[in-house]
Amino acid sequence: MPQDEVIWVDGERSASLPLPDRGLSFGDGLFETLLIVNGRSPWLDYHRQRLEAGLAALHFPALGSTFDEAVALALSSLAPQAVAALRITVTRGSGPRGYQAPSPTVPRLVAQLSSLSLDPFTCPAPAKLAVSSLRLASQPLLAGIKHLNRLEQVLATREFRAQNVDEAVMCNQQGQVVSVVAGNLFAVVKGELYTPSLQDCGVSGTRRRALIERWAPRLGLTVHQQALSLEQCLDADELLFCNSLQGLRAVAQLGAKCWGEHPLSQALQQQYLADLQQSVGL
Amino acid sequence: MPQDEVIWVDGERSASLPLPDRGLSFGDGLFETLLIVNGRSPWLDYHRQRLEAGLAALHFPALGSTFDEAVALALSSLAPQAVAALRITVTRGSGPRGYQAPSPTVPRLVAQLSSLSLDPFTCPAPAKLAVSSLRLASQPLLAGIKHLNRLEQVLATREFRAQNVDEAVMCNQQGQVVSVVAGNLFAVVKGELYTPSLQDCGVSGTRRRALIERWAPRLGLTVHQQALSLEQCLDADELLFCNSLQGLRAVAQLGAKCWGEHPLSQALQQQYLADLQQSVGL
């Protein structure tokens, strides 16, 4: 385990997972990646609510206060000024051999705290994107939730890293745009925002939700959640993506297409940063 | 851990997995489920070759002798007459936060031995099947290999257990038949065998391979690997499925359709049993 990481399993400091565990066996579980700034985790409600939606979709019992206790435990271990990522993984725990879930299920919670070397109040430089050759599979029953079956993202990340870019646009099997590998994508067209609707695949991001519900409305921007083609993205006035650790990031390049100006992305970033400061008490 | 289970991690007896592990984090790994009879594991070559195909598809380094050593270690711990299941799980091991795979990758191997209370030389009674409401996602890059992303199978198993049947037929998003939840499906039509081609989803089973390459040819039966509709299955003269622990199992019922006779399934079962006896030295 790297020295800048601390792990808890069910509330106890531990560097090991009891076996068998259905999270390992089948990816039978969910996770959240929280940004920690100034001893607080912004948009924690959105994370908790997405996790709860995932638990319901996978027929897990509700967690009660376990999630909040795990976050509080991690926060209490940190120096106040630290910037960190906290990954909360919830698995269906142990069970007998085979796919059938144990009854009752006793979920297991793994919290992994990693220090980050980024300034959360400085927006990252506009990103270079590729188009992933891997097309996401359509599975409406698992769309939106942040489950542990992430081989597509692992393979797509390997591909775009080899192309020396920062991220990649992922399409579904029909060729419609879904997201980037680790974040949600928005296109700006004639002063309005467009983002894929995520009914068949993709993760419903917490920053995507905040952008739709908070930051875009404050700027008077309409957000359309609908099918989005690669051509529409290439023809857009601006592209931006978001995730919990990078916040909002403008896109400078997608394949051969370049964007030099990002006025609406920057206006949204200002909303993001103002909200971030407020939610971490700065 | 149940008393009839023994687990090794990288060759050491252990009931815990070092964290972080990418098998837990992303389902970044593969597994094999071996039947153990009379101190031997039948069709071990097929299991090893499928695992190697999976390692290549996920860009893992080759395992060398690790797989065979893990199997030998588990076999040496068993009473000679024991019947058991040995699950071998290979993960991409530890790595830093995020989807990017570590370089170099040091895979981790977990071997889990569970006693079985079945007689491997008695064919299970013909099975009752439902049709799963869950349709498998199409992902050609992951089709055929036995990777750790198995939430679809977990959800489908929950559904058919609630329906009080033994298994369920799974279709793809286009409504074509793929397999059962934990096994491969064959239809007998006018003395020939038909099985889905698994280019877009499903697992390329070891017993499926043996049926195609060994047992059907010995009986002079042609096997067609092609698209198969649910209607073709319902109209078939016989249905059967196979997996490593149950061997070959005839289908007595699929939804409202019943089959009372299974002559070709039984002839194939005899080939299976003869091969099983020989390969475990009985």
Side-chain angles (χ1 to χ4, degrees):
Chain A
M1 188 165 59
Q3 283 197 319
D4 59 349
E5 280 192 357
V6 187
I7 299 178
W8 295 261
V9 177
D10 285 340
E12 302 289 332
R13 278 284 291 272
S14 172
S16 63
L17 179 78
L19 292 178
D21 186 276
R22 294 177 57 94
L24 174 67
S25 295
F26 308 122
D28 193 3
L30 301 145
F31 70 108
E32 292 291 329
T33 301
L34 313 183
L35 174 67
I36 309 288
V37 178
N38 195 38
R40 300 200 198 175
S41 179
W43 303 292
L44 190 59
D45 284 354
Y46 286 7
H47 285 289
R48 188 193 304 103
Q49 288 164 18
R50 180 176 59 185
L51 179 59
E52 286 169 348
L55 294 166
L58 301 186
H59 308 284
F60 276 51
L63 279 183
S65 58
T66 318
F67 174 76
D68 290 308
E69 287 165 9
V71 174
L73 186 61
L75 291 180
S76 71
S77 78
L78 269 180
Q81 67 275 31
V83 178
L86 176 61
R87 179 180 159 131
I88 303 284
T89 304
V90 179
T91 82
R92 211 185 300 261
S94 291
R97 213 192 50 69
Y99 290 127
Q100 190 176 11
S103 179
T105 285
V106 182
R108 190 168 278 143
L109 191 149
V110 178
Q112 176 181 352
L113 187 64
S114 315
S115 63
L116 288 179
S117 58
L118 59 83
D119 174 3
F121 297 108
T122 301
C123 288
K128 282 179 71 170
L129 270 59
V131 177
S132 179
S133 72
L134 188 151
R135 292 184 161 196
L136 290 166
S138 291
Q139 181 48 271
L141 292 175
L142 298 174
I145 67 174
K146 203 166 170 78
H147 57 71
L148 294 176
N149 284 196
R150 294 293 158 203
L151 274 173
E152 292 180 323
Q153 284 72 25
V154 170
L155 292 177
T157 298
R158 180 180 192 274
E159 182 187 53
F160 83 68
R161 292 283 184 178
Q163 295 169 323
N164 206 25
V165 297
D166 303 302
E167 252 293 1
V169 171
M170 303 201 75
C171 297
N172 63 17
Q173 301 279 325
Q174 290 74 47
Q176 294 288 308
V177 169
V178 177
S179 63
V180 295
V181 178
N184 293 109
L185 186 71
F186 289 79
V188 178
V189 179
K190 295 180 181 164
E192 301 196 340
L193 287 159
Y194 294 80
T195 193
S197 50
L198 308 182
Q199 283 152 337
D200 291 333
C201 49
V203 175
S204 182
T206 56
R207 274 50 167 180
R208 175 183 187 272
R209 180 177 168 192
L211 198 160
I212 292 169
E213 295 183 3
R214 302 165 68 101
W215 308 324
R218 279 193 217 145
L219 295 173
L221 297 175
T222 302
V223 186
H224 304 274
Q225 299 180 54
Q226 62 180 58
L228 194 66
S229 69
L230 201 54
E231 291 66 34
Q232 288 174 304
C233 288
L234 289 166
D235 290 342
D237 302 318
E238 299 177 45
L239 284 183
L240 67 155
F241 66 89
C242 56
N243 65 33
S244 61
L245 300 185
Q246 297 189 54
L248 270 55
R249 188 167 183 184
V251 173
Q253 193 176 336
L254 173 59
K257 172 70 184 276
C258 295
W259 290 268
E261 307 284 320
H262 319 279
L264 279 183
S265 300
Q266 287 168 343
L268 287 163
Q269 285 173 329
Q270 293 312 311
Q271 294 298 322
Y272 163 78
L273 290 174
D275 237 21
L276 175 63
Q277 284 198 308
Q278 188 176 29
S279 62
V280 302
L282 286 175
Chain B
M1 186 165 59
Q3 284 197 317
D4 59 349
E5 279 191 356
V6 187
I7 299 178
W8 295 261
V9 177
D10 285 339
E12 302 289 331
R13 277 285 290 271
S14 173
S16 64
L17 179 77
L19 291 177
D21 185 276
R22 294 177 57 95
L24 174 67
S25 295
F26 308 122
D28 192 3
L30 301 146
F31 71 109
E32 293 291 327
T33 302
L34 314 183
L35 174 67
I36 308 288
V37 178
N38 195 38
R40 301 200 197 175
S41 180
W43 304 290
L44 191 59
D45 284 353
Y46 287 7
H47 285 287
R48 188 193 303 106
Q49 288 164 18
R50 181 176 59 186
L51 179 59
E52 286 169 349
L55 294 166
L58 300 186
H59 308 285
F60 276 51
L63 279 183
S65 58
T66 318
F67 174 76
D68 289 309
E69 287 165 9
V71 175
L73 186 62
L75 292 180
S76 71
S77 78
L78 270 180
Q81 68 276 31
V83 178
L86 176 62
R87 179 180 157 130
I88 302 284
T89 304
V90 179
T91 82
R92 212 184 299 261
S94 291
R97 213 193 50 68
Y99 291 127
Q100 191 175 11
S103 180
T105 286
V106 182
R108 190 169 278 143
L109 190 149
V110 178
Q112 176 181 352
L113 187 65
S114 314
S115 63
L116 289 179
S117 59
L118 59 83
D119 174 2
F121 298 108
T122 301
C123 288
K128 283 180 71 170
L129 271 59
V131 177
S132 179
S133 72
L134 188 152
R135 292 186 162 193
L136 291 166
S138 292
Q139 181 47 271
L141 291 176
L142 299 174
I145 67 173
K146 203 165 170 77
H147 56 71
L148 294 176
N149 284 196
R150 294 292 158 204
L151 275 173
E152 291 179 322
Q153 285 73 25
V154 170
L155 292 177
T157 297
R158 181 180 191 275
E159 182 187 53
F160 83 69
R161 292 283 185 178
Q163 296 170 322
N164 207 25
V165 297
D166 303 301
E167 252 292 0
V169 170
M170 303 202 74
C171 297
N172 63 18
Q173 301 279 325
Q174 290 74 46
Q176 294 288 308
V177 169
V178 178
S179 62
V180 294
V181 178
N184 294 108
L185 187 70
F186 289 80
V188 178
V189 179
K190 295 180 182 164
E192 300 195 342
L193 287 159
Y194 294 79
T195 193
S197 51
L198 308 182
Q199 284 153 336
D200 291 333
C201 49
V203 175
S204 182
T206 56
R207 273 50 167 180
R208 176 182 186 272
R209 179 177 169 193
L211 197 160
I212 293 169
E213 295 184 2
R214 303 165 66 102
W215 308 325
R218 278 192 216 146
L219 295 172
L221 297 174
T222 301
V223 186
H224 305 275
Q225 300 181 54
Q226 62 179 58
L228 195 65
S229 71
L230 200 54
E231 291 67 32
Q232 287 173 304
C233 288
L234 290 166
D235 290 341
D237 302 318
E238 300 178 45
L239 285 182
L240 68 154
F241 66 90
C242 56
N243 66 34
S244 61
L245 300 186
Q246 297 189 55
L248 270 54
R249 189 166 182 185
V251 173
Q253 193 175 337
L254 173 60
K257 172 70 184 276
C258 295
W259 291 267
E261 307 284 320
H262 319 279
L264 278 183
S265 300
Q266 287 167 343
L268 287 162
Q269 285 173 329
Q270 293 313 310
Q271 294 298 322
Y272 163 78
L273 291 174
D275 237 21
L276 175 62
Q277 284 198 306
Q278 188 176 26
S279 62
V280 301
L282 286 175

